[in-house]
Amino acid sequence: MAHAYTPGLKVTEGMTIQKERRLPLEGEVLVEAGAAVQAEDVVAKADLPGNVQLLNVANLLSVPAEEITEYMLKPVGEPIAKDEILATTKGLFGLFKSQARSPIDGTIEAVSDVTGQVILREPPVPVEVKAYTDGTVTEIALNEGVTVETYGTYIQGIFGVGGETIGSLTVAVSSPSDGLTAERILPEHRDHILVGGSLVTTDAIQKAIQQGVKGIIAGGIDDADLRELLGYELGVAITGSEEIGITLVITEGFGSIAMAEQTFTLLKTREGMKTSINGATQIRAGVVRPEILIPLAPETSKTASDAEDDTAKGLLEIGSSVRIIREPYFGKLGRVAELPVELQNLETEAQVRVLRVELENGQRTTLPRANVEAIEE
C-alpha cells in the first residue's frame, strides 16, 4: 500500500504515557520506584542558590580595602538579617562610628580585602517538581528526578501559552463551533479547566483569570487577542513560561476555527475528570506541542491495539486522518484518499509530491504533502 511520512498530532483515546519530571539542578528525589503518585504530589525538590549582592563596605566605612576584615562583625558563612550591622568603625572616643548594614536577608558569601566589598547571597529559592499526572513512578534518576507512567487520554494542540496546571475538566459550550465568551465563565468554574469551541476571546480569558479558572482549551484564538493578553508580540521562542494566571491550549490554530469534532467529542466524554495541561510550545527544531493529559482509572485495560508503535509515527496511508495547515483549507480535517507517486507541478512551477484528501463534507482536493499533518489516533 502507498504510504508517506509527515509531522503528526496525537488525539488518542487511550495510550501509555511517560513523563520525565526533572529538577533544574541536583536535589532530592522524594519517592521510590513503583510508588503510586497523584498529579499534585511533589516527587523531587532542590534549592536554587539565591541572588548575589555586593556591598562596598570599605566605602561605607571610609577605610582602606585591605583593612575591612578588622571591622567585620560577622564571619563568612554567617546568616544575616536585613538592616543588621555587618561592620563598624571604632569611632572617636566611642562616638562618630561608621556602620555598614545588610540590605538583605541572607548569608555572607565572601569578604574581599582587595576591593573592599562584601559578597552577600540571598536565601536559596526552593524548587519543587510535581508528578503532573496520576500514575506510577517507573524510573529514578538519582538526585535529578523521576519518570511517571500512566495510561490515559492524550491530545496535542497546535499552540499554547502558560505552564503546567491541573484541574477538573468542564465543557463550557454546547458544540465545537460555539465560541467561549465571558458570559459562559461562571464562579463555579474556579480551579477547573474549561473546554471552549471555535474561539476564545480576550474578555473570556480575563474573566476566567478573575474567576480562578486553571486553564482553557479552545479551537482558536485571534492573534490580536493573544498580543493584548501577553502585552507583547510573541516571537518564535518556546512558550510556557508566561505568568498570566492561566494556561491556554489551542487545538486548531489562529482565528475562529471550530474544534475538531473528534477532539471535542473525546473531551466531552472525559468531562469531570482530573486533567493536566501544559501550554509550552516550540515550533522550530526540537518541536514541543501543548498537551492535554487525562489519566484513566487503573482498572482500564490496555489492549494490543493500544500499544504505540514508534515506527508508525507520522505514517500516512489511504484512510489516515489529517489536518490541513495551509490556506485555503487551513484547519479543515479529512482523510487521505490517494497518495500519487508521481511529482506534480504547482502554480509556482515547483514539482512536489502531493496527496488527495477527502474533507469532512465529502469534497476532494489535491494538496502538497507538506500542507498536512497526520492526526495520530
Side-chain angles (χ1 to χ4, degrees), residues 64-338:
E66 60 270 18
E67 297 179 8
I68 68 166
T69 53
E70 300 176 18
Y71 303 101
M72 293 294 298
L73 301 180
K74 292 263 190 172
V76 172
E78 189 81 6
I80 44 95
K82 186 177 181 181
D83 293 327
E84 184 177 355
I85 299 173
L86 300 181
T88 183
T89 60
K90 296 177 182 179
L92 183 63
F93 304 113
L95 303 174
F96 310 110
K97 292 181 180 180
S98 296
Q99 297 176 334
R101 296 178 181 270
S102 172
I104 61 167
D105 293 324
T107 55
I108 299 175
E109 185 93 350
V111 177
S112 173
D113 57 7
V114 176
T115 64
Q117 296 193 101
V118 173
I119 300 174
L120 307 176
R121 187 176 292 277
E122 295 177 357
V125 179
V127 175
E128 294 181 338
V129 173
K130 296 183 178 181
Y132 178 59
T133 180
D134 297 357
T136 303
V137 177
T138 57
E139 185 178 338
I140 300 290
L142 187 63
N143 300 326
E144 293 183 12
V146 303
T147 299
V148 177
E149 182 177 297
T150 191
Y151 183 81
T153 295
Y154 189 71
I155 299 171
Q156 290 179 315
I158 290 287
F159 174 80
V161 292
E164 298 174 353
T165 193
I166 304 159
S168 177
L169 191 69
T170 298
V171 179
V173 296
S174 301
S175 76
S177 59
D178 292 338
L180 182 59
T181 59
E183 293 73 22
R184 298 180 186 269
I185 313 293
L186 306 175
E188 52 264 37
H189 291 152
R190 174 173 293 276
D191 294 331
H192 287 213
I193 292 172
L194 300 185
V195 178
S198 59
L199 182 72
V200 58
T201 64
T202 302
D203 290 344
I205 296 172
Q206 294 294 355
K207 186 173 180 183
I209 294 172
Q210 293 170 7
Q211 297 288 1
V213 173
K214 291 289 191 70
I216 291 176
I217 304 165
I221 186 172
D222 282 335
D223 56 351
D225 286 346
L226 181 63
R227 186 166 56 250
E228 180 181 345
L229 177 68
L230 297 176
Y232 57 87
E233 188 77 43
L234 192 65
V236 295
I238 188 169
T239 70
S241 60
E242 301 81 11
E243 296 183 0
I244 58 175
I246 199 167
T247 296
L248 302 179
V249 174
I250 303 303
T251 63
E252 313 305 321
F254 289 97
S256 181
I257 309 174
M259 184 180 291
E261 185 73 39
Q262 175 188 359
T263 304
F264 185 83
T265 301
L266 184 53
L267 291 172
K268 184 74 174 175
T269 63
R270 301 292 186 255
E271 188 167 13
M273 299 180 69
K274 182 192 289 187
T275 301
S276 303
I277 65 173
N278 187 358
T281 309
Q282 182 169 299
I283 306 300
R284 292 189 171 182
V287 172
V288 175
R289 301 279 195 183
E291 63 182 10
I292 304 161
L293 196 166
I294 309 171
L296 300 178
E299 59 269 18
T300 303
S301 60
K302 179 182 176 184
T303 64
S305 62
D306 293 322
E308 184 180 6
D309 182 1
D310 287 344
T311 62
K313 288 183 178 179
L315 179 65
L316 284 183
E317 298 179 321
I318 306 301
S320 295
S321 295
V322 294
R323 175 187 283 113
I324 301 173
I325 57 174
R326 298 286 187 277
E327 294 292 356
Y329 300 104
F330 178 80
K332 292 190 178 298
L333 302 180
R335 292 191 177 272
V336 177
E338 295 180 53

